[in-house]
Amino acid sequence: MNNILSSTDFIAAAEADLAEVFHSIEQNEYHIQERVLEAFRVNLVAARHFNPTTGYGYDDDGRDVLDRLFASALQCEAALAVPQLSSGTHAIFMVLSALLRPNDTMLAITGRPYDTLINAIGIEGNAECSLGEMNVDYRQIELDNSGKIDIDALRAELTMHPRVVYLQRSRGYAWRNSLLPQDMASTFKTVKEISPNSIIVVDNCYGEFTQEAEPTAFGADLIVGSLIKNLGGGIAPTGGYVAGRKAYINRIANRITVPGIGREAGSYAAGYLPFYEGLFVAPHVVAQALKTAALFARMFEKLDLPTMPSSDSKRSDIVQALRFNTKDELIGFCKTIQSVSPIDSFVSPEPWAMPGYNDEVIMAAGTFVQGASIELSADAPIREPFTGYLQGGITYGHGRIAAGRVYEMLMGQTH
Ligand SMILES: *Cc1c(COP(=O)(O)O)cnc(C)c1O
């Protein structure tokens, strides 16, 4: 390029290209905001529901109404929104270990599950208390070359009647597309036709509120995820959720606490306010993250660098995969994201050997809530092709500052 634009002009041009994309993100936000507001109204949420509770937490209205609020907002029969769950992985493992009994089969139909689940399921090794150690059989079907579910392989596997059929909605940290809930419908139909008693569980992490309806609206039995991602709205300090069919939710409640006690017990001494407020702002915050992702996508398209998904594609998660020409650019990208973070802007992330990864990994996360990836953050394994994953952004204003700085980094413009 002989005529390099300033970052201000470049970002303005990218935004002009995105007018329609932003409009459709906003339409989705407005639609979901209405549904979430209605959920608050029908559940008669009041200030007393925020009150802290202690000990057993018997008759904890704040806990019970929060569960019902999540069920309404997600259009499900029942839900559990649980501050005591420390992560999405914890929530997913809790669900799987509640549903799967010895000699049952778990069938993953979107390829290898998210990294943190590998030990928990027992796909590699048999960690203590893993599903594998409990004699749960694990089977896996890869996505086909176009990133779609392999229906022929699925039909064959279903004749063995797996107890759980498991899908991951988000791309996670793979160069593939996220699965749209509406596109899952035919798969769900096939599952229920061939194996009606199989329970369909969707790892819904990063996907919530990116589309008008969740996978449960199209036939999934359960959706599961983290509250320091989309549904926490950047405000919830911790937690996980599961939503779907009531019979399964009751069973899972017995796993969260104790069989026979279920959701009767459980207190939260810090109070429930951030979970209520987080869900209320989540439609807006998810829209901010989607706009940030679309802006980075458009920037890469304009610079002729590979990116996924394209800026105008329908998104089913908040992750943007970005391919850089060199290792230095990839590392520079993560350092730049960190340097424009509100927290720990003064530290410089370095590639690091992480347990469970074969390559070094570099992460940028200058977040208010530790590790919250609904806040602007980036991760990258250091290997070819040099791919970074960007997600989050609780304000689009922050996302566009970050995009401008990354552009300047790529153009060799010092700030
Ligand atoms: C974040 C995430 C998880 C769970 O990860 P935690 O870090 O334990 O919250 C699982 N699956 C996907 C696709 C995710 O994005």
Side-chain angles (χ1 to χ4, degrees), residues 87-89 92 114 116 168 170 172 203 205-206 226 229:
S87 67
T89 304
I92 293 166
Y114 196 73
T116 52
Q168 179 181 307
S170 167
D203 170 356
C205 284
Y206 285 145
S226 164
K229 293 183 180 171

Side-chain angles (χ1 to χ4, degrees), residues 113-294:
Y114 196 73
D115 278 290
T116 52
L117 288 158
I118 302 303
N119 288 324
I121 296 169
I123 296 173
E124 278 167 22
N126 263 350
E128 282 183 80
C129 293
S130 67
L131 297 178
E133 197 198 52
M134 302 296 160
N135 263 335
V136 171
D137 181 35
Y138 172 80
R139 300 179 65 84
Q140 179 175 314
I141 300 173
E142 302 305 322
L143 290 170
D144 69 19
N145 290 335
S146 56
K148 300 245 177 337
I149 291 164
D150 184 340
I151 290 285
D152 292 335
L154 174 61
R155 284 180 175 282
E157 288 284 342
L158 284 173
T159 58
M160 294 164 69
H161 302 294
R163 170 114 166 131
V164 166
V165 173
Y166 180 87
L167 294 84
Q168 179 181 307
R169 174 177 179 177
S170 167
R171 75 201 63 245
Y173 300 112
W175 189 264
R176 67 131 159 129
N177 257 320
S178 49
L179 300 169
L180 290 162
Q182 51 273 36
D183 292 349
M184 297 176 189
S186 64
T187 301
F188 296 157
K189 198 158 161 271
T190 302
V191 172
K192 294 295 175 178
E193 269 166 19
I194 301 177
S195 182
N197 293 329
S198 292
I199 307 165
I200 300 169
V201 177
V202 178
D203 170 356
N204 209 28
C205 284
Y206 285 145
E208 302 90 351
F209 291 173
T210 58
Q211 289 285 319
E212 191 173 319
E214 301 301 322
T216 30
F218 299 93
D221 293 303
L222 294 164
I223 48 176
V224 199
S226 164
L227 295 183
I228 63 168
K229 293 183 180 171
N230 303 20
L231 292 186
I235 295 180
T238 182
Y241 80 93
V242 52
R245 294 211 184 281
K246 193 166 188 160
Y248 302 131
I249 295 291
N250 289 343
R251 187 178 169 91
I252 294 159
N254 269 340
R255 172 60 83 196
I256 297 182
T257 56
V258 178
I261 295 179
R263 206 54 172 150
E264 300 290 318
S267 62
Y268 192 60
Y272 295 100
L273 174 61
F275 302 97
Y276 283 93
E277 191 174 359
L279 182 69
F280 185 69
V281 302
H284 180 66
V285 170
V286 169
Q288 302 301 288
L290 289 172
K291 286 182 183 175
T292 299

